[in-house]
Amino acid sequence: MNQTPQWFEARFSPEMLVRIKVDRLVYAVQSAYQTIEVYDTSVFGRILVLDGVINVAEKDEFIYHEMLAHVPLITHPHPRSVLVVGGGDGGTVREVLKHPTIDRIELVEIDSAVVEVSRAFLPFVSCELDNPKVHITYEDAAYFVQKTSQRFDAILIDSTDPVGAGAVLFSESFYHDCRALLREGGVLAAQSESPFFDPHIVKPLYEMARTVFPIVRMYTAFVPSYVSGLWSFIFCSTSIDSVTQVTEDRIAALPDLRYYSPEIHQACFAIPPFVRIQYGV
Amino acid sequence: MNQTPQWFEARFSPEMLVRIKVDRLVYAVQSAYQTIEVYDTSVFGRILVLDGVINVAEKDEFIYHEMLAHVPLITHPHPRSVLVVGGGDGGTVREVLKHPTIDRIELVEIDSAVVEVSRAFLPFVSCELDNPKVHITYEDAAYFVQKTSQRFDAILIDSTDPVGAGAVLFSESFYHDCRALLREGGVLAAQSESPFFDPHIVKPLYEMARTVFPIVRMYTAFVPSYVSGLWSFIFCSTSIDSVTQVTEDRIAALPDLRYYSPEIHQACFAIPPFVRIQYGV
């Protein structure tokens, strides 16, 4: 790609596209796994595009990353070790490190180019990747969870859509392997796509998760740069229910929150009836 | 317009467009006030487009109409008379009539063509416009509220964006006139645009409303067919706070709810910190 397109076109679904005016193409590269592009836009600030899908947008990434990290970590009474699957941009790691109990984060990202591009061009998310508590492994997470001897208090699956290399992260075998790595009282959270546009992904994911974990919940957030704005996350645990066990003073102690709050923790589990009925959540 | 375009292009902001695949142009007309188009789409079902902006989408209109109607009406202990401003498609009227206490709805729509098109092509929203409790006046609502001798328990402002004929519905004089029409304990709600994309509209609206009403709240809903998915509504009252006064058994008695519920009533007032701080809500 040698010239900046005037408009970036993102596919929300085969029958819905969004076109965003682009000020500048910052960088583009074809990695071993995907096409990686960085654009500057007025609408969303700087955006990271993987295989044509917006994965990180400067102006709203805080919503996704705060919600993926804080909802499960606040639920756990004392999280120390966290496995982040995917998330090579660093945004989830940045949020996890806000919890003072954390002493180790294992980041398992299949594509080192995502980390390199993020370090170079997306400092607002990659800013904590060099923190000494963070250990990065470049590997297929499905392989990592089979062989590691580490155990974790929380597993956060910060995946792309379930196509290509990311598809295995939505599989039953992967969830089984993750459960085996959780310490007692451990929690798992993952982005779980759009309940409005992606029922073919959301429905089997929740059905599968319920065969692996006794406690499975859906929570939601507004993510304007993702399709439909209504984005869902799956919360799984063997013993802790995220809705009822919240410590407000631990939330108040988290620095620089822009979306998450004690009120949002409760509200994000209020699922509209049409979603609740469709997915049994 | 003589042929069906393959893609309908809606402007979310000057720098963000959404393109939706169109199966069929159903109808198009230029009224005295606006261009009115009806399309069939796979993504959103049948859509009503006013001056190029999606106003009603078959697959998600229930979210907007349930939230505009039920949040204020459930807050009021015994709503009997309701003024609906705009809303010529009929979706808000359909929801208001679910409340058994209602004995009269005054619908004031400036553009009779919206009602005619909706009656002809959008039966899922216009289905209750012939209910004997509904009285339709084709008039500028800003004029109506100055001259009417009727009084109301609730005023629901179901407006387009504040451009053209709809701009006056966001003005201080209009809110003053509305307040004067409310019976004791009366409530007002209005769609109040996207907190993410429309700060130039949202901020002055809430500042203005606080000069007219002692109680002003923001609540939100996911509306996938509106820009950013995060849509806001303004709740105003002289005496009742919508957050604290909810009767769950009255909600349970409302038929055919797909988005609204007792949990959603509480959750919709949980405003993320970045919105709360920006708008003082």
Side-chain angles (χ1 to χ4, degrees), chain B residues 29 56 68 85 112 146 180 185 218:
Chain B
V29 67
V56 176
L68 180 59
V85 172
S112 61
Q146 285 173 355
M218 177 188 282

Side-chain angles (χ1 to χ4, degrees), chain A residues 17 47 58 68 82 89 101-102 110 129 149 172 184 189 212 228 241 243 258 275:
Chain A
L17 306 173
I47 59 174
E58 185 177 8
L68 180 60
V82 176
D89 57 82
T101 54
I102 298 295
I110 198 168
L129 285 174
S149 61
E172 182 174 345
E184 195 180 331
V212 180
S228 97
D241 190 329
V243 185
R258 295 169 66 196
V275 176

Side-chain angles (χ1 to χ4, degrees), chain A residues 162 170 191-210 218 231-234 275 278-279 281:
Chain A
F170 289 72
Q191 73 86 1
S192 60
E193 305 286 315
S194 162
F196 195 83
F197 280 110
D198 305 321
H200 56 292
I201 302 169
V202 178
K203 200 169 171 64
L205 175 66
Y206 281 75
E207 286 172 355
M208 175 276 287
R210 278 191 288 264
M218 177 187 282
W231 206 253
S232 76
F233 300 82
I234 190 167
V275 176
Q278 186 171 10
Y279 301 113
V281 292

Side-chain angles (χ1 to χ4, degrees), chain A residues 15-21 42-43 62 196-197 220-222 224 228-230 258-259 263-264 267 270 272-274, chain B residues 15-21 42-43 62 196-197 220-222 224 228-230 258-259 263-264 267 270 272-274:
Chain A
E15 301 196 322
M16 185 172 172
L17 306 173
V18 66
R19 302 188 77 212
I20 295 166
K21 190 151 187 287
S42 297
V43 171
F62 67 94
F196 195 83
F197 280 110
T220 63
F222 296 106
S228 97
L230 169 59
R258 295 169 66 196
Y259 188 89
E263 295 75 27
I264 291 290
F274 83 102
Chain B
E15 300 196 323
M16 185 172 173
L17 306 173
V18 65
R19 301 188 78 212
I20 295 166
K21 190 149 187 288
S42 298
V43 171
F62 67 93
F196 195 83
F197 280 110
T220 63
F222 296 106
S228 96
L230 169 57
R258 296 168 65 196
Y259 188 88
E263 295 75 27
I264 291 290
F274 83 101

